[in-house]
Coordinates of all heavy atoms in Angstrom, one line a residue:
M1 N 12.0 26.6 -29.2 CA 11.9 26.3 -27.8 C 11.5 24.8 -27.6 O 10.6 24.3 -28.3 CB 10.8 27.2 -27.2 CG 11.3 27.9 -25.9 SD 9.8 28.8 -25.4 CE 10.7 29.5 -24.0
A2 N 12.0 24.1 -26.7 CA 11.9 22.7 -26.6 C 10.5 22.6 -25.8 O 10.3 23.3 -24.9 CB 12.9 22.0 -25.8
E3 N 9.7 21.6 -26.2 CA 8.5 21.3 -25.5 C 8.8 20.5 -24.2 O 9.9 19.7 -24.2 CB 7.6 20.3 -26.4 CG 7.1 21.2 -27.6 CD 6.0 20.4 -28.3 OE1 5.3 19.7 -27.6 OE2 5.9 20.5 -29.5
P4 N 8.0 20.8 -23.1 CA 8.3 20.1 -21.9 C 8.0 18.6 -22.0 O 7.1 18.1 -22.8 CB 7.3 20.7 -21.0 CG 6.4 21.6 -21.8 CD 6.9 21.7 -23.1
Q5 N 8.9 17.9 -21.5 CA 8.7 16.4 -21.4 C 7.8 15.9 -20.3 O 7.7 16.5 -19.2 CB 10.1 15.8 -21.1 CG 11.2 16.0 -22.2 CD 10.8 15.3 -23.4 OE1 10.4 14.2 -23.5 NE2 11.1 16.0 -24.6
A6 N 7.0 14.9 -20.6 CA 6.0 14.4 -19.8 C 7.0 13.5 -18.8 O 7.8 12.9 -19.1 CB 4.9 13.5 -20.4
T7 N 6.6 13.6 -17.5 CA 7.2 12.8 -16.6 C 6.5 11.4 -16.3 O 5.2 11.3 -16.4 CB 7.2 13.4 -15.1 OG1 5.9 13.7 -14.7 CG2 7.9 14.8 -15.2
V8 N 7.3 10.5 -16.4 CA 6.6 9.0 -16.2 C 7.1 8.6 -14.8 O 8.3 8.5 -14.6 CB 7.1 8.2 -17.3 CG1 6.7 6.8 -17.1 CG2 6.8 8.8 -18.7
T9 N 6.1 8.0 -14.1 CA 6.5 7.5 -12.7 C 6.9 6.0 -13.0 O 6.1 5.1 -13.6 CB 5.3 7.6 -11.8 OG1 5.0 8.9 -11.7 CG2 5.7 7.0 -10.4
Q10 N 8.1 5.6 -12.5 CA 8.4 4.2 -12.6 C 7.9 3.4 -11.4 O 8.1 3.9 -10.2 CB 10.0 4.1 -12.6 CG 10.6 4.4 -13.9 CD 10.2 3.4 -15.1 OE1 9.4 3.8 -15.8 NE2 10.9 2.4 -15.1
L11 N 7.1 2.4 -11.6 CA 6.7 1.6 -10.6 C 7.7 0.5 -10.3 O 8.3 -0.1 -11.2 CB 5.2 1.0 -10.8 CG 4.2 2.0 -11.1 CD1 2.9 1.4 -11.5 CD2 4.0 2.9 -9.7
E12 N 7.7 0.0 -9.1 CA 8.6 -1.1 -8.7 C 8.0 -2.3 -9.4 O 6.8 -2.5 -9.6 CB 8.7 -1.3 -7.3 CG 7.3 -1.7 -6.7 CD 7.3 -1.8 -5.2 OE1 8.1 -0.9 -4.6 OE2 6.7 -2.7 -4.7
P13 N 8.9 -3.3 -9.9 CA 8.4 -4.5 -10.4 C 7.5 -5.3 -9.4 O 8.0 -5.3 -8.3 CB 9.6 -5.2 -11.0 CG 10.8 -4.6 -10.2 CD 10.2 -3.2 -9.8
F14 N 6.4 -5.8 -9.8 CA 5.7 -6.6 -8.8 C 6.3 -8.0 -8.7 O 6.5 -8.6 -9.7 CB 4.3 -6.8 -9.5 CG 3.3 -7.5 -8.6 CD1 2.8 -7.0 -7.4 CD2 3.0 -8.9 -8.9 CE1 2.0 -7.8 -6.5 CE2 2.1 -9.7 -7.9 CZ 1.6 -9.0 -6.8
D15 N 6.6 -8.3 -7.4 CA 7.3 -9.5 -7.1 C 6.4 -10.5 -6.3 O 6.2 -10.2 -5.1 CB 8.6 -9.3 -6.4 CG 9.5 -10.5 -6.2 OD1 9.0 -11.7 -6.4 OD2 10.6 -10.4 -5.7
P16 N 5.7 -11.4 -7.0 CA 4.9 -12.1 -6.3 C 5.4 -13.1 -5.2 O 4.6 -13.7 -4.3 CB 4.1 -12.9 -7.4 CG 5.1 -13.1 -8.4 CD 5.9 -11.7 -8.3
S17 N 6.7 -13.2 -5.2 CA 7.4 -14.1 -4.2 C 7.6 -13.4 -2.9 O 7.9 -14.1 -1.9 CB 8.7 -14.6 -4.8 OG 9.6 -13.5 -4.8
L18 N 7.3 -12.1 -2.8 CA 7.5 -11.5 -1.5 C 6.4 -11.8 -0.5 O 5.2 -11.7 -1.0 CB 7.6 -9.8 -1.7 CG 8.7 -9.4 -2.4 CD1 8.5 -7.9 -2.7 CD2 10.0 -9.6 -1.7
A19 N 6.7 -12.3 0.6 CA 5.7 -12.7 1.6 C 5.2 -11.4 2.5 O 4.2 -11.2 2.8 CB 6.2 -13.8 2.5
L20 N 6.3 -10.6 2.7 CA 6.0 -9.3 3.6 C 6.5 -8.2 2.8 O 7.5 -8.1 2.2 CB 6.7 -9.4 4.8 CG 6.4 -10.5 5.8 CD1 7.3 -10.7 7.0 CD2 4.9 -10.3 6.3
L21 N 5.7 -7.0 2.8 CA 6.0 -5.7 2.2 C 6.2 -4.7 3.3 O 5.7 -4.8 4.4 CB 4.8 -5.2 1.4 CG 4.2 -6.2 0.4 CD1 2.9 -5.7 -0.1 CD2 5.2 -6.5 -0.7
T22 N 7.1 -3.7 2.9 CA 7.2 -2.5 3.8 C 5.8 -1.7 3.7 O 5.1 -2.0 2.7 CB 8.3 -1.6 3.5 OG1 8.1 -1.2 2.1 CG2 9.7 -2.4 3.5
V23 N 5.6 -0.9 4.7 CA 4.3 -0.1 4.5 C 4.4 0.8 3.2 O 3.5 0.9 2.6 CB 4.2 0.8 5.8 CG1 3.1 1.6 5.6 CG2 4.1 -0.2 7.1
E24 N 5.6 1.2 2.9 CA 5.8 2.0 1.7 C 5.4 1.3 0.4 O 4.8 1.8 -0.5 CB 7.1 2.6 1.6 CG 7.5 3.7 2.6 CD 8.1 3.1 3.9 OE1 8.1 1.9 4.1 OE2 8.5 4.0 4.8
E25 N 5.9 0.0 0.4 CA 5.6 -0.9 -0.8 C 4.2 -1.1 -0.8 O 3.5 -1.1 -1.9 CB 6.4 -2.1 -0.6 CG 7.9 -2.0 -0.9 CD 8.6 -3.3 -0.4 OE1 8.1 -4.1 0.3 OE2 9.7 -3.5 -1.0
A26 N 3.4 -1.3 0.3 CA 2.0 -1.6 0.3 C 1.3 -0.3 -0.1 O 0.3 -0.4 -0.8 CB 1.6 -2.0 1.7
A27 N 1.8 0.8 0.3 CA 1.1 2.1 -0.2 C 1.3 2.2 -1.7 O 0.4 2.7 -2.4 CB 1.9 3.3 0.5
R28 N 2.4 2.0 -2.3 CA 2.6 2.0 -3.7 C 1.7 1.1 -4.4 O 1.1 1.4 -5.5 CB 4.1 1.8 -4.1 CG 5.0 3.0 -3.9 CD 6.4 2.8 -4.5 NE 7.1 1.6 -4.1 CZ 7.9 1.8 -3.0 NH1 8.0 3.0 -2.4 NH2 8.7 0.8 -2.6
R29 N 1.5 -0.2 -4.0 CA 0.6 -1.1 -4.6 C -0.8 -0.6 -4.5 O -1.7 -0.7 -5.4 CB 0.6 -2.3 -3.9 CG 1.9 -3.2 -4.3 CD 1.8 -4.6 -3.8 NE 3.2 -5.2 -4.1 CZ 3.6 -6.5 -4.0 NH1 2.6 -7.2 -3.4 NH2 4.6 -6.9 -4.3
L30 N -1.2 0.1 -3.5 CA -2.6 0.7 -3.3 C -2.8 2.1 -4.0 O -3.8 2.6 -4.1 CB -2.9 0.9 -1.8 CG -3.0 -0.5 -1.0 CD1 -3.2 -0.4 0.4 CD2 -4.5 -1.1 -1.5
R31 N -1.7 2.6 -4.5 CA -1.6 4.0 -5.0 C -2.2 5.0 -4.1 O -2.9 5.9 -4.4 CB -2.4 4.0 -6.3 CG -2.0 3.0 -7.4 CD -0.6 3.5 -8.1 NE -0.5 2.9 -9.4 CZ -0.2 1.8 -9.8 NH1 -0.1 0.8 -8.9 NH2 0.0 1.4 -11.0
I32 N -1.7 4.9 -2.8 CA -2.0 5.9 -1.7 C -0.7 6.3 -1.2 O 0.3 5.8 -1.5 CB -2.9 5.3 -0.7 CG1 -2.2 4.1 0.1 CG2 -4.2 4.9 -1.2 CD1 -3.1 3.7 1.2
G33 N -0.8 7.5 -0.4 CA 0.4 8.0 0.2 C 0.9 7.1 1.3 O 0.1 6.3 2.1
R34 N 2.2 7.2 1.6 CA 2.8 6.3 2.8 C 2.1 6.8 4.1 O 1.9 5.9 5.0 CB 4.2 6.4 2.8 CG 4.9 7.8 3.0 CD 6.4 7.7 2.9 NE 7.0 7.0 4.2 CZ 7.2 7.7 5.4 NH1 6.8 8.9 5.6 NH2 7.8 7.0 6.2
T35 N 1.9 8.1 4.4 CA 1.3 8.4 5.5 C -0.1 7.9 5.7 O -0.5 7.5 6.8 CB 1.3 10.1 5.7 OG1 2.5 10.6 5.5 CG2 0.7 10.6 7.0
T36 N -0.9 8.0 4.7 CA -2.3 7.3 4.8 C -2.1 5.8 5.0 O -3.0 5.3 5.8 CB -2.9 7.7 3.4 OG1 -3.1 9.0 3.2 CG2 -4.3 7.0 3.4
C37 N -1.2 5.3 4.4 CA -1.0 3.8 4.6 C -0.7 3.4 6.1 O -1.1 2.5 6.7 CB 0.0 3.2 3.6 SG 0.0 1.4 3.6
F38 N 0.3 4.3 6.6 CA 0.7 4.2 8.0 C -0.5 4.4 8.9 O -0.8 3.6 9.9 CB 1.8 5.1 8.4 CG 3.1 4.6 8.2 CD1 3.9 5.0 7.1 CD2 3.8 3.6 9.0 CE1 5.3 4.5 7.0 CE2 4.9 3.1 8.8 CZ 5.7 3.6 7.9
R39 N -1.3 5.3 8.6 CA -2.6 5.4 9.4 C -3.5 4.3 9.3 O -4.1 3.9 10.4 CB -3.3 6.8 8.9 CG -2.8 8.0 9.5 CD -3.8 9.2 9.3 NE -3.0 10.4 9.1 CZ -3.0 11.2 8.2 NH1 -3.7 10.9 7.1 NH2 -2.3 12.3 8.1
L40 N -3.7 3.8 8.2 CA -4.5 2.6 8.0 C -4.0 1.4 8.7 O -4.7 0.6 9.3 CB -4.7 2.3 6.5 CG -5.5 3.1 5.7 CD1 -5.4 2.9 4.2 CD2 -7.1 3.2 6.2
V41 N -2.6 1.2 8.8 CA -1.9 0.1 9.5 C -2.2 0.3 11.0 O -2.5 -0.6 11.7 CB -0.4 0.1 9.1 CG1 0.4 -0.9 10.1 CG2 -0.3 -0.5 7.7
L42 N -1.9 1.5 11.5 CA -2.1 1.8 13.0 C -3.5 1.7 13.4 O -3.7 1.2 14.5 CB -1.5 3.1 13.2 CG 0.0 3.3 13.1 CD1 0.5 4.7 13.3 CD2 0.9 2.3 14.0
A43 N -4.5 1.9 12.5 CA -5.8 1.8 12.9 C -6.3 0.4 12.8 O -7.6 0.0 13.2 CB -6.7 2.6 12.0
G44 N -5.6 -0.6 12.2 CA -5.9 -1.9 12.1 C -6.6 -2.2 10.8 O -7.2 -3.3 10.7
E45 N -6.9 -1.2 10.0 CA -7.6 -1.4 8.7 C -6.8 -2.3 7.8 O -7.4 -3.1 7.0 CB -7.8 -0.1 8.0 CG -8.8 0.8 8.8 CD -10.3 0.3 8.6 OE1 -10.6 -0.1 7.5 OE2 -11.0 0.4 9.7
I46 N -5.5 -2.3 7.8 CA -4.6 -3.1 6.9 C -3.8 -3.9 7.9 O -3.2 -3.4 8.8 CB -3.8 -2.3 6.1 CG1 -4.5 -1.4 5.0 CG2 -2.8 -3.2 5.3 CD1 -3.6 -0.5 4.1
E47 N -3.9 -5.2 7.7 CA -3.3 -6.1 8.5 C -1.7 -5.8 8.5 O -1.2 -5.6 7.4 CB -3.5 -7.6 8.1 CG -2.8 -8.6 9.1 CD -2.9 -9.9 8.5 OE1 -3.6 -10.2 7.6 OE2 -2.2 -10.9 9.1
S48 N -1.0 -6.0 9.6 CA 0.4 -5.9 9.7 C 1.0 -6.7 10.8 O 0.3 -7.1 11.8 CB 0.9 -4.3 9.8 OG 0.5 -4.0 11.2
V49 N 2.3 -6.9 10.6 CA 3.0 -7.7 11.8 C 4.3 -7.1 12.1 O 4.8 -6.2 11.3 CB 3.3 -9.2 11.2 CG1 2.0 -10.0 10.9 CG2 4.2 -9.2 10.0
T50 N 4.9 -7.3 13.2 CA 6.1 -6.8 13.5 C 7.2 -8.0 13.4 O 6.9 -9.2 13.9 CB 6.1 -6.2 15.0 OG1 5.7 -7.2 15.9 CG2 5.4 -5.0 15.1
V51 N 8.3 -7.7 12.9 CA 9.4 -8.5 12.7 C 10.6 -7.8 13.5 O 11.2 -6.8 12.9 CB 9.7 -8.9 11.3 CG1 11.0 -9.8 11.3 CG2 8.5 -9.5 10.7
G52 N 10.9 -8.2 14.7 CA 11.9 -7.4 15.5 C 11.2 -6.0 15.8 O 10.2 -5.8 16.4
R53 N 11.9 -5.0 15.2 CA 11.4 -3.6 15.4 C 10.9 -3.1 14.1 O 10.5 -1.9 14.0 CB 12.6 -2.7 15.8 CG 13.3 -3.0 17.2 CD 14.4 -2.2 17.6 NE 14.1 -0.8 17.4 CZ 14.9 0.2 17.6 NH1 16.2 -0.1 18.0 NH2 14.7 1.5 17.5
L54 N 10.7 -3.9 13.1 CA 10.1 -3.6 11.8 C 8.7 -3.9 11.7 O 8.1 -4.9 12.2 CB 10.9 -4.3 10.7 CG 12.4 -4.2 10.7 CD1 13.0 -5.1 9.6 CD2 12.8 -2.7 10.4
R55 N 7.9 -2.9 11.0 CA 6.5 -3.2 10.7 C 6.5 -3.6 9.3 O 7.0 -3.0 8.4 CB 5.8 -1.9 11.0 CG 4.4 -1.8 10.6 CD 3.4 -2.7 11.5 NE 3.6 -2.4 12.8 CZ 2.9 -3.0 13.8 NH1 2.2 -4.1 13.5 NH2 3.1 -2.8 15.1
R56 N 5.7 -4.8 9.0 CA 5.6 -5.3 7.7 C 4.1 -5.7 7.4 O 3.5 -5.9 8.4 CB 6.5 -6.5 7.5 CG 7.9 -6.3 7.5 CD 8.4 -5.5 6.3 NE 9.8 -5.2 6.3 CZ 10.4 -4.0 6.7 NH1 9.6 -3.0 7.0 NH2 11.7 -3.9 6.5
V57 N 3.7 -5.5 6.1 CA 2.4 -5.9 5.7 C 2.5 -7.2 5.0 O 3.2 -7.1 4.0 CB 1.8 -4.6 4.9 CG1 0.5 -5.0 4.3 CG2 1.7 -3.4 5.5
P58 N 1.7 -8.1 5.3 CA 1.6 -9.4 4.6 C 1.1 -9.1 3.2 O 0.2 -8.3 2.9 CB 0.7 -10.3 5.3 CG 0.7 -9.7 6.7 CD 0.9 -8.3 6.5
A59 N 1.8 -9.6 2.1 CA 1.4 -9.3 0.7 C -0.1 -9.6 0.5 O -0.6 -8.9 -0.3 CB 2.2 -10.3 -0.2
D60 N -0.7 -10.7 1.1 CA -2.1 -10.9 0.9 C -3.0 -10.0 1.6 O -4.2 -10.0 1.4 CB -2.4 -12.4 1.2 CG -2.1 -12.7 2.6 OD1 -1.5 -12.0 3.4 OD2 -2.6 -13.9 3.0
A61 N -2.5 -9.1 2.5 CA -3.3 -8.1 3.3 C -3.7 -7.0 2.3 O -4.7 -6.4 2.5 CB -2.5 -7.7 4.5
V62 N -2.9 -6.8 1.3 CA -3.3 -5.7 0.4 C -4.5 -6.0 -0.4 O -5.6 -5.3 -0.3 CB -2.1 -5.3 -0.5 CG1 -2.5 -4.3 -1.6 CG2 -0.9 -4.8 0.3
P63 N -4.7 -7.2 -1.2 CA -5.9 -7.4 -1.9 C -7.1 -7.7 -0.7 O -8.3 -7.4 -1.2 CB -5.7 -8.8 -2.5 CG -4.3 -9.3 -2.1 CD -3.7 -8.1 -1.4
A64 N -6.9 -8.1 0.5 CA -7.7 -8.3 1.4 C -8.4 -7.0 1.8 O -9.6 -6.9 2.0 CB -7.3 -9.1 2.7
Y65 N -7.6 -6.0 2.0 CA -8.1 -4.6 2.3 C -8.9 -4.1 1.1 O -10.0 -3.5 1.4 CB -6.9 -3.7 2.5 CG -7.3 -2.3 2.7 CD1 -8.0 -1.9 3.9 CD2 -7.0 -1.4 1.8 CE1 -8.4 -0.5 4.0 CE2 -7.4 0.1 2.0 CZ -8.1 0.4 3.0 OH -8.4 1.6 3.2
V66 N -8.5 -4.3 -0.1 CA -9.3 -3.8 -1.3 C -10.6 -4.6 -1.2 O -11.7 -4.0 -1.6 CB -8.5 -4.1 -2.5 CG1 -9.4 -3.8 -3.8 CG2 -7.3 -3.2 -2.6
A67 N -10.7 -5.9 -1.0 CA -11.9 -6.6 -0.9 C -12.8 -6.0 0.0 O -14.0 -6.0 -0.1 CB -11.7 -8.0 -0.8
K68 N -12.3 -5.7 1.2 CA -13.1 -5.1 2.3 C -13.6 -3.8 2.0 O -14.9 -3.6 2.2 CB -12.1 -5.0 3.6 CG -12.8 -4.6 4.9 CD -12.1 -4.8 6.1 CE -10.7 -4.0 6.0 NZ -10.1 -3.9 7.4
L69 N -12.9 -3.0 1.3 CA -13.4 -1.7 0.8 C -14.6 -1.9 -0.2 O -15.5 -1.2 -0.2 CB -12.3 -1.0 0.1 CG -11.2 -0.3 0.9 CD1 -10.2 0.4 0.1 CD2 -11.8 0.7 2.0
R70 N -14.4 -3.0 -1.0 CA -15.5 -3.2 -2.1 C -16.8 -3.7 -1.5 O -17.8 -3.4 -2.0 CB -15.0 -4.2 -3.1 CG -13.8 -3.7 -3.9 CD -13.4 -4.7 -4.8 NE -14.4 -4.7 -6.0 CZ -14.2 -5.4 -7.0 NH1 -13.2 -6.1 -7.3 NH2 -15.2 -5.5 -8.0
H71 N -16.7 -4.3 -0.4 CA -18.0 -4.8 0.3 C -18.4 -3.9 1.3 O -19.5 -4.2 2.0 CB -17.7 -6.2 0.8 CG -17.4 -7.2 -0.3 ND1 -16.1 -7.5 -0.6 CD2 -18.3 -7.8 -1.1 CE1 -16.3 -8.4 -1.6 NE2 -17.5 -8.6 -2.0
R72 N -17.7 -2.8 1.7 CA -18.2 -1.8 2.6 C -19.3 -1.1 2.1 O -19.2 -0.5 0.9 CB -17.1 -1.0 3.1 CG -17.4 0.0 4.2 CD -16.2 0.9 4.5 NE -15.2 0.1 5.0 CZ -14.0 0.6 5.3 NH1 -13.8 1.8 5.0 NH2 -13.0 -0.2 5.7
P73 N -20.4 -0.8 2.8 CA -21.5 0.1 2.2 C -21.0 1.5 2.0 O -20.1 2.0 2.9 CB -22.6 -0.1 3.2 CG -22.0 -0.6 4.4 CD -20.8 -1.3 4.0
A74 N -21.5 2.2 1.0 CA -21.0 3.5 0.8 C -21.5 4.4 1.8 O -22.7 4.2 2.3 CB -21.6 3.9 -0.7
Q75 N -20.7 5.4 2.3 CA -21.0 6.2 3.3 C -21.7 7.3 2.7 O -21.2 7.9 1.8 CB -19.7 6.6 4.1 CG -19.1 5.5 4.8 CD -17.8 6.0 5.5 OE1 -17.3 7.0 5.3 NE2 -17.1 5.0 6.2
A76 N -22.7 8.0 3.5 CA -23.4 9.0 3.0 C -22.5 10.4 3.3 O -21.7 10.5 4.2 CB -24.7 9.2 3.8
A77 N -22.7 11.3 2.4 CA -21.8 12.5 2.5 C -22.3 13.5 3.5 O -23.5 13.5 3.8 CB -21.7 13.2 1.1

C-alpha cells in the first residue's frame, strides 16, 4: 500500500514591486482567511483604497497592521 503524500501549499512569490494588493493577496501574506481580511478592511483595521470599483490594500499597510498588533496591549480573556 502506498503511503499518503503530504500536501504542500504553494505560496505566491513575494513581489516587492507591487504597490497595491488584492484583499486575497493581503490575506495570504498575513496567513489569515479572506473573509477575516475583508472584515478587517471594512472595519478600517487594515488600510485600503478604492480604484474604480475595486478594493485594494497598499502593500505597506500589511506590515503596518502587524506593527499595530504588536504594540496593542494584550486583551484579557
